[in-house]
Amino acid sequence: MIIQKVQDKDKLTVKMSGHIDTNTVPEFEKEIRLDGIKNLILDFKEVDYISSAGLGALILFQKQMD
């Protein structure tokens, strides 16, 4: 998985490619820090596969943003 981040003040755009699965979720969660972020944009255009572990990470991000 490759992660590219662009932060503009309180807006974070994250572009990912590859797989988001059990092997890559720890890196995914580590790379995306939401401290001070009010707008989160996740670009999945280049993502080939998301496992249930990846979906769990997305739910965690959603809860943090709420």
Side-chain angles (χ1 to χ4, degrees), residues 13-58:
T13 302
V14 182
K15 182 178 181 180
M16 297 149 292
S17 63
H19 291 94
I20 303 173
D21 57 23
T22 304
N23 296 324
T24 59
V25 162
E27 175 188 355
F28 184 48
E29 291 176 338
K30 181 181 174 185
E31 285 289 321
I32 301 177
R33 294 288 170 209
L34 300 176
D35 299 328
I37 300 299
K38 294 185 180 182
N39 296 302
L40 176 63
I41 299 170
L42 300 174
D43 182 345
F44 293 102
K45 288 182 215 171
E46 306 274 329
V47 173
D48 301 320
Y49 175 77
I50 302 176
S51 72
S52 59
L55 293 174
L58 295 176

